[in-house]
């Protein structure tokens, strides 16, 4: 800072995400956690004497980099004349090949004002290495693309996140990179809300959906969520009671009869951010309408999975659901 000198650190070129950077105030060295598309998180240290050193590796490095997908940063036009951004992971395998365009998994981040980065992402790799094209949507309203881009979420939650995801699928399909007829949307928390709102606003666009602890009722979400995010919706949707009409319009529970696409819902029983009653409400509506669905509640889990057995069970159940409702849904019986 004193000299404004910029120094490149050799060896960091393959890492796209650098977090928890800690500087040593008494020496010319630092420590950080870093990852890349095909490099799971590592603890690194650097000093002007020893250079860059790997202190600890993730156990998931047992997978060869060649077997993993590398992301591509994309920009696509939106139907209202703007642009949205995201990361595309092509289907990748050393052992299998397929003809035609791949099914597409749309992954919507939480937040809803956060961002997907080009670091190692086990969720994206899980689907890409199983034959899916994966689109991580950095929709308008998220960070990383300027303040005007982020401010699209001011009173706009449930609009641009939905539109940008759909326009991303359409653009990829037009480029021959994905099969829009086999599109799936998946997200957790605010991303789970986008999943539900997408099924309400565009029924039939997605073949199926995976919703993790998604908000269904904006009114009860404001009343029941934890203190840290108690006023978040004042910016996203407006303060109550003045914005009550907007809250109703952006609450999937009040239009749940429009959901016709197969959906699997996951919920942690101890979630304090998006309480279980949110998923209970939407699942009750799905039962009344006869919409194909599954509902899995994990005891002892909160806002996201912590237990290894839960994580494994989630991926097993999600993949089985998608095989049934997307991959094998239109196959004819062979005698």
């Amino acid at each position: 800072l004193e000299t404004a000198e910029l120094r490149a650190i050799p060896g960091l070129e393959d890492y796209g995400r650098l977090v928890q950077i800690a500087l040593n105030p008494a020496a010319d060295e630092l420590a950080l956690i870093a990852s890349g598309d095909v490099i799971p998180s590592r603890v690194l240290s650097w000093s002007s004497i020893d250079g860059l050193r790997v202190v600890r590796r993730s156990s998931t490095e047992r997978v060869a980099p060649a077997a993993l997908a590398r992301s591509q940063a994309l920009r696509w036009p939106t139907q209202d004349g703007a642009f949205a951004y995201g990361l595309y992971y092509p289907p990748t395998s050393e052992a299998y090949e397929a003809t035609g365009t791949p099914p597409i998994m749309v992954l919507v981040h939480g937040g809803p004002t956060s961002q997907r980065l080009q670091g190692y992402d086990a969720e994206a790799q899980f689907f890409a290495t199983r034959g899916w094209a994966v689109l991580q949507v950095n929709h308008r309203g998220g960070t990383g693309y300027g303040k005007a881009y982020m401010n699209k979420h001011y009173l706009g939650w449930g609009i641009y996140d939905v539109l940008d995801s759909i326009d991303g699928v359409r653009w990829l399909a037009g480029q021959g990179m994905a099969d829009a007829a086999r599109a799936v949307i998946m997200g957790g928390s605010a991303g789970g809300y986008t999943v539900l709102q997408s099924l309400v606003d565009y029924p039939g666009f997605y073949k199926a959906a995976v919703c993790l602890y998604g908000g269904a009722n904006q009114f009860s979400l404001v009343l029941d969520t934890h203190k840290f995010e108690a006023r978040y919706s004042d910016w996203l949707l407006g303060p109550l009671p003045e914005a009550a009409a907007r809250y109703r319009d952006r609450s999937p529970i009040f239009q749940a009869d429009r959901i016709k696409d197969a959906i699997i819902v996951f919920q942690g029983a101890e979630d304090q951010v998006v309480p279980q009653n949110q998923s209970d409400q939407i699942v009750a509506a799905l039962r009344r309408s006869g919409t194909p669905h599954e509902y899995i509640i994990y005891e002892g889990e909160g806002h996201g999975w912590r237990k290894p057995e839960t994580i494994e069970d989630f991926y097993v159940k999600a993949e089985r659901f998608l095989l049934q409702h997307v991959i094998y849904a239109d196959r004819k019986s062979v005698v």
Side-chain angles (χ1 to χ4, degrees), residues 7-65:
R7 286 188 293 166
I9 298 179
L12 286 179
E13 297 86 357
D14 294 330
Y15 298 95
R17 185 179 185 186
L18 313 177
V19 299
Q20 298 185 32
I21 301 173
L23 299 172
N24 185 342
D28 192 21
E29 59 186 15
L30 57 84
L32 69 155
I33 299 175
S35 69
D37 271 342
V38 297
I39 305 174
S41 293
R42 295 171 173 176
V43 178
L44 305 179
S45 68
W46 175 87
S47 72
S48 56
I49 298 174
D50 298 326
L52 192 68
R53 186 168 63 92
V54 178
V55 178
R56 184 66 58 87
R57 299 175 187 268
S58 171
S59 62
T60 52
E61 290 202 35
R62 289 174 294 183
V63 180

Side-chain angles (χ1 to χ4, degrees), residues 77-89:
T78 63
Q79 55 194 273
D80 57 353
F83 288 94
Y85 297 84
L87 302 174
Y88 173 81
Y89 292 77

Side-chain angles (χ1 to χ4, degrees), residues 189 212-213 266-276 297-307 310:
S189 191
L212 293 82
Y213 35 88
F266 295 88
Q267 178 68 44
E270 299 179 10
D271 195 333
Q272 300 299 311
V273 181
V274 180
Q276 184 181 325
I297 302 172
Y298 291 124
E299 298 295 333
E301 293 285 11
H303 198 63
W305 321 139
R306 301 294 184 269
K307 302 176 183 178
T310 302

Side-chain angles (χ1 to χ4, degrees), residues 25-270:
D28 192 21
E29 59 186 15
L30 57 84
L32 69 155
I33 299 175
S35 69
D37 271 342
V38 297
I39 305 174
S41 293
R42 295 171 173 176
V43 178
L44 305 179
S45 68
W46 175 87
S47 72
S48 56
I49 298 174
D50 298 326
L52 192 68
R53 186 168 63 92
V54 178
V55 178
R56 184 66 58 87
R57 299 175 187 268
S58 171
S59 62
T60 52
E61 290 202 35
R62 289 174 294 183
V63 180
L68 299 172
R70 294 182 181 271
S71 68
Q72 306 168 24
L74 297 181
R75 185 183 80 158
W76 59 89
T78 63
Q79 55 194 273
D80 57 353
F83 288 94
Y85 297 84
L87 302 174
Y88 173 81
Y89 292 77
T92 303
S93 174
E94 293 183 303
Y96 301 99
E97 294 182 2
T99 58
T101 51
I104 180 167
M105 170 62 68
V106 178
L107 299 179
V108 185
H109 64 66
T113 53
S114 58
Q115 177 192 13
R116 300 278 194 173
L117 300 173
Q118 284 185 294
Y120 185 79
D121 192 300
E123 185 178 72
Q125 294 293 351
F126 178 88
F127 291 105
T129 56
R130 283 163 174 78
W132 292 81
V134 177
L135 177 64
Q136 292 185 327
V137 181
N138 280 332
H139 54 71
R140 284 172 289 176
T143 56
Y145 300 93
K147 188 172 182 179
Y149 195 87
M150 186 198 72
N151 281 343
K152 284 294 184 178
H153 257 342
Y154 176 64
L155 307 183
W157 191 21
I159 295 178
Y160 299 107
D161 45 328
V162 172
L163 291 176
D164 293 351
S165 299
I166 284 176
D167 288 339
V169 172
R170 288 172 171 163
W171 187 82
L172 285 172
Q175 305 299 309
M177 300 164 69
D179 181 1
R182 294 185 294 165
V184 173
I185 186 169
M186 171 175 159
S189 191
Y193 163 71
T194 302
V195 168
L196 298 175
Q197 194 66 26
S198 297
L199 300 191
V200 165
D201 289 344
Y202 292 87
F205 183 85
Y206 294 103
K207 191 76 171 179
V210 181
C211 179
L212 293 82
Y213 35 88
N217 187 327
Q218 296 287 8
F219 292 100
S220 57
L221 188 63
V222 168
L223 295 172
D224 297 336
T225 193
H226 59 156
K227 183 178 179 180
F228 181 70
E229 292 187 338
R231 313 305 299 183
Y232 202 3
S233 293
D234 287 4
W235 190 81
L236 295 167
L237 296 172
L240 289 171
E242 295 85 355
R246 187 178 296 115
Y247 276 66
R248 179 172 291 273
D249 183 60
R250 309 276 179 83
S251 294
I253 191 63
F254 297 114
Q255 297 90 31
D257 59 321
R258 299 183 61 189
I259 298 178
K260 305 300 180 185
D261 307 300
I263 179 172
I264 183 168
V265 179
F266 295 88
Q267 178 68 44
E270 299 179 10

